[in-house]
Amino acid sequence: MLYQQIASNKRKTVVLLTVFFLLLALLGYAVGHLFMNSGLMGVTLAILIGLVYAVSMIFQSTEIVMSMNGAREVDRNEEPVLYHVVEDMAMVAQIPMPRVYVIDDASLNAFATGSNPQNAAVAATSGLLDIMNREELEAVIGHEVSHIRNYDIRISTIAVALASAITLLSSMAGRMMWWGGASRSRRN
């Protein structure tokens, strides 16, 4: 059952990439046709932006997500309980030990990120660490480690990257309209 879910998540990743790149190409065509009088130029630009975002998120997702959240990496001496819980859960799940981060925030939250188990990380907020006992923390971290093991984090990571690329193209189109309008509309 587990291997079927992992295979399913990998297939979903391919479908997600295909759909997003088609959507990106469509948006690129519209922007290119409207502002550059060349739909092909817009598609090329959109695909290039999408590839840059996807590759950067695949190889640097952990660093990007953790820096966005103000997380700091900890070792077994700084946060021994959290570190050992993550270590235990990784061993039970039979995945490589993820990097461990703490976010200085009073909210109760934890998450996993990365594009695969080899470069994954788990983060927990200081609020969560303050309020939970070890057994509760094991449940939360076990849940996050299951996302790593099942490759759920890959789908989320790529979805964020491609949504960011679409947002960038939409923002560029909006700014072009605001500052210069479509060259096609001036002639008409």
Side-chain angles (χ1 to χ4, degrees):
M1 173 105 149
L2 174 68
Y3 296 110
Q4 292 170 342
Q5 185 174 3
I6 291 171
S8 170
N9 284 341
K10 288 181 178 181
R11 283 190 303 275
K12 287 177 185 175
T13 301
V14 171
V15 170
L16 178 71
L17 281 170
T18 304
V19 168
F20 265 113
F21 275 105
L22 287 173
L23 183 61
L24 203 59
L26 183 63
L27 182 63
Y29 180 84
V31 170
H33 183 70
L34 188 60
F35 297 107
M36 297 180 268
N37 294 328
S38 171
L40 183 59
M41 181 77 139
V43 169
T44 304
L45 178 66
I47 297 297
L48 185 63
I49 289 171
L51 284 172
V52 167
Y53 269 87
V55 168
S56 69
M57 285 303 281
I58 287 170
F59 292 109
Q60 297 177 334
S61 62
T62 301
E63 290 77 17
I64 292 169
V65 170
M66 293 306 176
S67 67
M68 285 172 37
N69 288 290
R72 61 182 167 82
E73 190 168 3
V74 296
D75 60 20
R76 72 178 69 236
N77 297 324
E78 291 176 88
E79 288 289 341
V81 174
L82 175 62
Y83 193 89
H84 289 295
V85 166
V86 173
E87 192 173 47
D88 291 348
M89 293 299 114
M91 189 172 22
V92 169
Q94 299 176 344
I95 62 168
M97 173 67 180
R99 292 165 47 195
V100 181
Y101 288 83
V102 172
I103 301 168
D104 294 320
D105 190 338
S107 64
L108 306 177
N109 197 9
F111 63 89
T113 188
S115 58
N116 59 47
Q118 287 70 35
N119 69 3
V122 174
T125 60
S126 56
L128 186 82
L129 298 175
D130 290 341
I131 200 168
M132 291 197 160
N133 62 34
R134 184 178 174 97
E135 290 78 24
E136 293 167 332
L137 189 59
E138 285 176 349
V140 171
I141 298 302
H143 172 85
E144 299 308 329
V145 167
S146 73
H147 287 307
I148 296 169
R149 174 134 192 231
N150 295 335
Y151 284 80
D152 298 341
I153 56 174
R154 176 183 286 174
I155 294 171
S156 301
T157 299
I158 292 173
V160 166
L162 296 175
S164 298
I166 289 172
T167 301
L168 177 67
L169 278 175
S170 299
S171 176
M172 285 173 52
R175 291 174 198 274
M176 286 176 171
M177 287 188 71
W178 177 259
W179 291 108
S183 59
R184 184 177 301 262
S185 65
R186 284 194 192 133
R187 280 183 283 165
N188 293 338

